[in-house]
Amino acid sequence: MNKYILLIQVIKKYVMWIIYFFCPFLVTKRNRINAVNNINAGKSVFFVPHADDELLGTGYYLLEHRLDSYLIFLSNTGSKKDVENRKKREQEFETFCRDNKIEFCYIDDNYRVESFLKDANNIFLPSLIDWHREHRDVNFVACALCDKYSISKVYWYNISVPLSYSESVVYYPGKIKFDKYRLFKVFYKSQTNIPVFRFKTKERIYGYECGVWKAEKCLELEFEHWKKII
């Protein structure tokens, strides 16, 4: 008898998740208001290893807080390191930032990097728990640069490896004025081979966990704690 009850509960859970996934209009206004938008306020600096990480990782938060957001671009290109590909990726990144009125600089622009990090409250960068070495390495680069500044919080955003909800902060984009995946197709045409459906699915699962249609997650760390980890 117990196994049948368990089976019914499992089926009910998956049916409800499927309905939730494909029917956003079933998400009530009350649930949307109760979303957890608890990322620390203030000036935020994003370390971006690859062009598109900033959009896929924290695009909704970045675009809704663009006036207080600054991007430091490392211009990594993964396994395809030829000059032509690097120029194309850099051009795509610059076009995205300029068209969306987001301030940016390259990692080797010491003056701009210093001006961005001065008085910054938060830094965002990919999680150290990631299969991609260039995502992990940016933590060591950022740690060396940020050591002399009074950063309050560090937020690990995830690209390759999902984060546990119980240990994460959630950002729900509220009244969505744009679709970051549409922007991805417009600005990052060289990356159309990326299966964005997995990112969409991940965000809907995150949203399901906290009662909203979709959500982005970051792991929040105290700056000093993050330095000890690195």
Side-chain angles (χ1 to χ4, degrees):
M1 185 65 179
N2 288 338
K3 68 178 181 180
Y4 292 112
I5 295 174
L6 179 61
L7 179 60
I8 291 171
Q9 290 176 337
V10 170
I11 292 173
K12 180 181 177 182
K13 178 180 178 180
Y14 279 97
V15 168
M16 291 303 296
W17 190 88
I18 290 170
I19 292 172
Y20 192 90
F21 186 92
F22 289 104
C23 304
F25 55 84
L26 294 180
V27 183
T28 66
K29 184 177 180 181
R30 178 178 59 82
N31 282 339
R32 289 175 182 269
I33 293 172
N34 288 338
V36 185
N37 288 338
N38 53 359
I39 291 177
N40 192 35
K43 180 181 179 180
S44 296
V45 175
F46 295 72
F47 284 87
V48 184
H50 312 99
D52 74 19
D53 284 343
E54 78 294 343
L55 188 55
L56 294 175
T58 58
Y60 289 124
Y61 181 84
L62 171 64
L63 290 164
E64 290 196 0
H65 297 80
R66 68 189 78 193
L67 296 180
D68 291 319
S69 297
Y70 302 82
L71 307 186
I72 297 177
F73 185 39
L74 279 74
S75 193
N76 292 328
T77 56
S79 59
K80 196 174 180 182
K81 300 185 182 299
D82 59 280
V83 175
E84 183 181 352
N85 181 55
R86 181 180 296 277
K87 287 182 178 179
K88 182 186 297 183
R89 300 297 302 279
E90 289 177 350
Q91 184 178 21
E92 288 177 338
F93 178 78
E94 292 180 12
T95 302
F96 166 75
C97 291
R98 289 185 177 123
D99 285 11
N100 289 283
K101 297 179 173 58
I102 301 171
E103 289 201 47
F104 72 94
C105 72
Y106 286 83
I107 191 70
D108 57 359
D109 187 341
N110 295 329
Y111 176 79
R112 294 273 286 171
V113 168
E114 185 172 346
S115 68
F116 283 4
L117 291 173
K118 184 179 180 182
D119 302 324
N121 287 20
N122 315 308
I123 60 171
F124 287 75
L125 67 172
S127 168
L128 191 63
I129 307 168
D130 196 295
W131 64 263
H132 200 312
R133 181 174 179 176
E134 290 175 343
H135 289 161
R136 300 193 304 270
D137 286 351
V138 70
N139 283 267
F140 304 105
V141 173
C143 189
L145 288 172
C146 296
D147 191 46
K148 63 180 180 179
Y149 300 101
S150 301
I151 309 293
S152 175
K153 301 286 185 181
V154 174
Y155 292 96
W156 273 344
Y157 59 83
N158 63 98
I159 300 295
S160 304
V161 181
L163 298 170
S164 168
Y165 173 68
S166 60
E167 299 174 353
S168 308
V169 296
V170 176
Y171 180 73
Y172 174 68
K175 186 176 180 181
I176 302 174
K177 301 175 183 177
F178 45 78
D179 179 357
K180 74 177 186 181
Y181 296 102
R182 184 187 66 79
L183 294 178
F184 176 79
K185 288 181 180 180
V186 170
F187 292 103
Y188 292 114
K189 293 179 180 178
S190 69
Q191 302 303 298
T192 52
N193 61 319
I194 291 179
V196 295
F197 183 75
R198 71 181 175 93
F199 291 99
K200 293 180 180 180
T201 303
K202 178 180 65 176
E203 289 172 3
R204 292 187 183 181
I205 292 173
Y206 290 162
Y208 179 79
E209 291 173 335
C210 60
V212 295
W213 169 232
K214 65 173 69 175
E216 294 173 333
K217 274 200 213 173
C218 294
L219 180 59
E220 181 183 77
L221 298 168
E222 295 292 335
F223 182 68
E224 295 299 324
H225 182 200
W226 171 71
K227 287 202 301 182
K228 289 178 182 178
I229 295 172
I230 302 304

